[in-house]
Amino acid sequence: INKMENTEIKAREIIIKMQFQKEPLMFEQAKQCALTCVDEIINTYHSPMDDEQIEEWQQVKQEILNLSPWIHL
């Protein structure tokens, strides 16, 4: 798996985890939760991460933003 595929997979996995928690969420709600999680990772854990890790999480965020409910998760 190349790096781009890996970030897309992470994006999909985060949305799925958000969508199917205790109370199922609609896709857009799960997407917003996933974006919040990624923002927290980038902002809260910024100092111990190196630039490559930050860039990867920013790519995951972009993949989440690009996903639509019509794309098979």
Side-chain angles (χ1 to χ4, degrees):
I1 297 177
N2 68 37
K3 192 172 187 175
M4 184 60 85
E5 289 174 338
N6 190 39
T7 57
E8 184 177 348
I9 290 167
K10 277 186 183 178
R12 291 170 186 255
E13 287 175 346
I14 293 170
I15 290 176
I16 290 169
K17 286 177 183 177
M18 294 296 116
Q19 198 168 12
F20 297 104
Q21 291 296 311
K22 190 174 184 180
E23 297 289 327
L25 299 175
M26 298 300 291
F27 178 83
E28 286 301 321
Q29 292 171 311
K31 187 173 174 178
Q32 288 304 312
C33 290
L35 287 169
T36 300
C37 289
V38 172
D39 280 340
E40 282 296 308
I41 290 167
I42 292 169
N43 296 327
T44 304
Y45 301 105
H46 186 277
S47 54
M49 287 196 291
D50 63 26
D51 290 341
E52 187 176 315
Q53 289 173 308
I54 292 168
E55 176 64 28
E56 183 175 345
W57 282 110
Q58 288 171 335
Q59 289 174 0
V60 170
K61 181 177 180 179
Q62 189 58 53
E63 291 293 341
I64 292 169
L65 290 168
N66 291 342
L67 289 173
S68 75
W70 310 115
I71 297 173
H72 184 336
L73 296 175

